[in-house]
Amino acid sequence: MDFTLQHIVTIVLVLLLGLSAGLCFTWNNAVTPGIGQLDDIGFLSAFQQMNRSIINPLFILVFFGPFFLGLINLYLYKNASNTVIWLLIFAIAIYFFGVLLVTIFGNVPLNEILDKTDLGKASIEDLKQLRERFEDKWNRLHLIRTISSAIAFLLLILTLLIKK
């Protein structure tokens, strides 16, 4: 089998979008419920450290890569069937609006509030209020990202099953 640029871009796109959807699922299914069992200082400290650790080059590639590779893939398959084109458009749009924009305008501002807080100097009441302000809203936004990334991944898989 000869690998064309289309094949390579599609394979990397599927891999990155699958990793992104898996990351969202894991956080939604295990990480946030697990740390949700901690007391306020434990929860906020753990979340603060995870937010600081996750921003790294590999995460940036996995997080932003599907959008840009999706656009490239859309161009490379511009002569494919209308069904493939529309599935790609929907997958890219859902990922863009439901994952990237929700993150940038929803989760990141909450993360920044948490990051700017000196937890060691905060009172017990301050910690309680910060958690109340942060946790439920962050989790609701993350659920949107989890569902959106899973749907985008599913749509992308469907494009693989259709004759181009």
Side-chain angles (χ1 to χ4, degrees):
M1 175 178 189
D2 292 331
F3 282 101
T4 65
L5 180 61
Q6 285 178 322
H7 293 129
I8 293 167
V9 171
T10 301
I11 289 167
V12 175
L13 172 58
V14 170
L15 175 64
L16 293 180
L17 188 48
L19 287 170
S20 186
L23 177 69
C24 287
F25 173 79
T26 301
W27 270 71
N28 197 65
N29 188 56
V31 175
T32 53
I35 66 172
Q37 301 302 311
L38 299 172
D39 62 10
D40 293 339
I41 187 67
F43 171 84
L44 295 168
S45 295
F47 222 107
Q48 197 176 61
Q49 292 308 312
M50 286 187 289
N51 284 341
R52 291 173 180 167
S53 296
I54 201 166
I55 303 301
N56 62 68
L58 187 56
F59 170 77
I60 299 299
L61 174 66
V62 169
F63 186 72
F64 287 104
F67 174 68
F68 293 109
L69 284 177
L71 294 176
I72 293 168
N73 214 29
L74 189 57
Y75 174 77
L76 292 174
Y77 284 96
K78 64 183 180 266
N79 295 322
S81 72
N82 283 340
T83 304
V84 168
I85 297 294
W86 281 109
L87 286 171
L88 282 171
I89 289 171
F90 287 137
I92 296 164
I94 289 169
Y95 190 82
F96 179 74
F97 289 105
V99 178
L100 294 181
L101 291 186
V102 167
T103 300
I104 292 167
F105 295 110
N107 295 92
V108 168
L110 291 170
N111 292 347
E112 289 174 348
I113 290 168
L114 179 57
D115 189 60
K116 291 176 184 172
T117 303
D118 185 346
L119 300 176
K121 294 182 179 177
S123 69
I124 291 172
E125 186 59 33
D126 290 339
L127 294 172
K128 181 180 180 196
Q129 289 176 358
L130 177 59
R131 184 173 183 172
E132 288 173 355
R133 185 174 161 199
F134 178 87
E135 185 176 18
D136 287 342
K137 186 173 183 183
W138 196 98
N139 287 339
R140 278 193 305 276
L141 291 166
H142 186 68
L143 180 60
I144 294 168
R145 297 190 300 183
T146 302
I147 293 168
S148 297
S149 62
I151 291 170
F153 186 58
L154 175 64
L155 292 174
L156 185 58
I157 290 171
L158 291 176
T159 67
L160 300 174
L161 301 175
I162 298 170
K163 291 184 180 180
K164 312 257 186 293

